[in-house]
Amino acid sequence: MTTDTTAQGTAPDATAPGTTVLDARGVTMRFGGLTAVRGVDLTVGSGEIVGLIGPNGAGKTTFFNCLTGLYVPTEGEVRYKGAVLPPKSFKVTAAGIARTFQNIRLFANMTVLENVLVGRHTRTKEGFWSAVLRGPGFHKAEAASRTRAMELLDFVGLADKADHLARNLPYGEQRKLEIARALASEPGLLLLDEPTAGMNPQETRATEELVFAIRDMGIAILVIEHDMRFIFNLCDRVAVLVQGEKLIEGDSATVQGDERVIAAYLGEPFEGDPGAEEAAEVAQAEAHAAGTRAETATTKDTGTATDTATDTATGSTGATGDDATPGKENHR
Ligand SMILES: Nc1ncnc2c1ncn2[C@@H]1O[C@H](COP(=O)(O)OP(=O)(O)OP(=O)(O)O)[C@@H](O)[C@H]1O
């Protein structure tokens, strides 16, 4: 991966230091009777990396969707560089906000380069007739787009795979390609939804470097992630959502030291805490799994390799289904 930001220069939509790039106020999103996000305020300034964390179902992705025009908030307002966001995702992208998705959304049968070129369409001014007639303006614009797309692939470390089909890339590289495609729209704010999900520790570390390099290009970043180490290493500020509401916001030390965050993620729940119910369910599943293992051990005189492998594969937490998927192991 290339992280030499001097080679990449400054992003076209970079903002002067100290400016508020994103200003979300009182964002509420209801789905029928369910309030997924309730009155959330959040700002992201230029040069900042802000983290958004919270247990499963806390409303993080819904909040992201409210920032990108996928959802129109039931209440509240979102401003990007002072202007209220348009209620359509392609207009939000054109305004300068790009995102990646929790579930990778690439064009699997297109090449790596073509995927990045798709991301550039909001930045090319050539119209329909220019494309049909393929005049000099079109060829010039196309060449410029390809050059920029290759620069971005070089930046994320995928230049040598430009001609590969996206579906043939390993999982970690598909995530990088998603980031390159998002950068192709030349954003001033990049929203990353679980960028390290499914990655091994080395890939996670490389992603951390990549995000710092993007920040150094002048792009503000808001990131959702369940990997706490990644978040606290990376972010200038972290906001915690629990049951749709912002529980706390602050620097890494403040958030890590907050007893409600510790209860929701790391330790014992305390009465009335919004994460208490979930933590209690996990504790119950752990107790159940421990009981089952103890019973198995007493009914068998000799342990076998199969027993050990099964215990390891199912995990000591008794996690199944979604909870056992990569990237979900830090949901506590
Ligand atoms: N389109 C929708 N219609 C109805 N309910 C929804 C919709 N999208 C999300 N929800 C609900 O809103 C709540 C918040 O979901 P959301 O996906 O935003 O949480 P999250 O914090 O991103 O969770 P995770 O960490 O598991 O991705 C959940 O109860 C979810 O079931």
Side-chain angles (χ1 to χ4, degrees), residues 29-32 34-37 53-65 71 102 193-194 224 226 241 244 322 328 331:
M29 186 72 212
R30 292 193 193 93
F31 300 108
L34 175 89
T35 305
V37 175
I53 64 172
N56 290 117
K60 304 177 296 296
T61 297
T62 302
F63 182 66
F64 253 37
N65 289 343
Y71 295 155
Q102 192 174 343
D193 195 346
E194 297 197 29
I224 294 176
H226 285 290
L241 279 193
D322 243 357
K328 298 280 184 190
H331 296 198

Side-chain angles (χ1 to χ4, degrees), residues 32-208:
L34 175 89
T35 305
V37 175
R38 190 190 300 271
V40 172
D41 296 331
L42 191 76
T43 60
V44 182
S46 58
E48 260 196 319
I49 303 175
V50 176
L52 189 59
I53 64 172
N56 290 117
K60 304 177 296 296
T61 297
T62 302
F63 182 66
F64 253 37
N65 289 343
C66 291
L67 305 181
T68 54
L70 271 179
Y71 295 155
V72 178
T74 319
E75 287 165 31
E77 189 178 75
V78 183
R79 287 176 181 268
Y80 173 71
K81 296 187 178 176
V84 176
L85 278 185
K88 290 268 187 282
S89 51
F90 71 92
K91 288 185 180 171
V92 171
T93 310
I97 299 182
R99 74 173 292 177
T100 63
F101 290 87
Q102 192 174 343
N103 304 311
I104 296 173
R105 295 191 189 180
L106 292 169
F107 295 101
N109 290 319
M110 287 169 68
T111 67
V112 165
L113 177 63
E114 284 165 347
N115 267 278
V116 182
L117 286 170
V118 168
R120 280 204 66 74
H121 77 277
T122 54
R123 287 290 169 256
T124 47
K125 294 190 178 62
E126 299 306 302
F128 175 76
W129 286 110
S130 173
V132 170
L133 301 171
R134 297 193 164 247
F138 173 79
H139 287 295
K140 204 172 155 193
E142 196 183 47
S145 274
R146 290 178 80 86
T147 303
R148 181 62 183 147
M150 283 308 299
E151 275 174 14
L152 291 170
L153 285 176
D154 185 42
F155 178 61
V156 300
L158 289 177
D160 59 336
K161 297 199 172 174
D163 296 329
H164 292 215
L165 288 181
R167 67 179 151 87
N168 292 337
L169 293 184
Y171 191 74
E173 292 187 348
Q174 290 193 9
R175 287 222 168 267
K176 283 186 188 174
L177 177 54
E178 263 220 318
I179 292 176
R181 187 177 61 181
L183 292 175
S185 66
E186 311 294 357
L189 173 68
L190 178 64
L191 308 180
L192 300 169
D193 195 346
E194 297 197 29
T196 71
M199 287 187 174
N200 63 36
Q202 288 76 20
E203 288 172 326
T204 298
R205 181 80 193 103
T207 303
E208 206 174 291

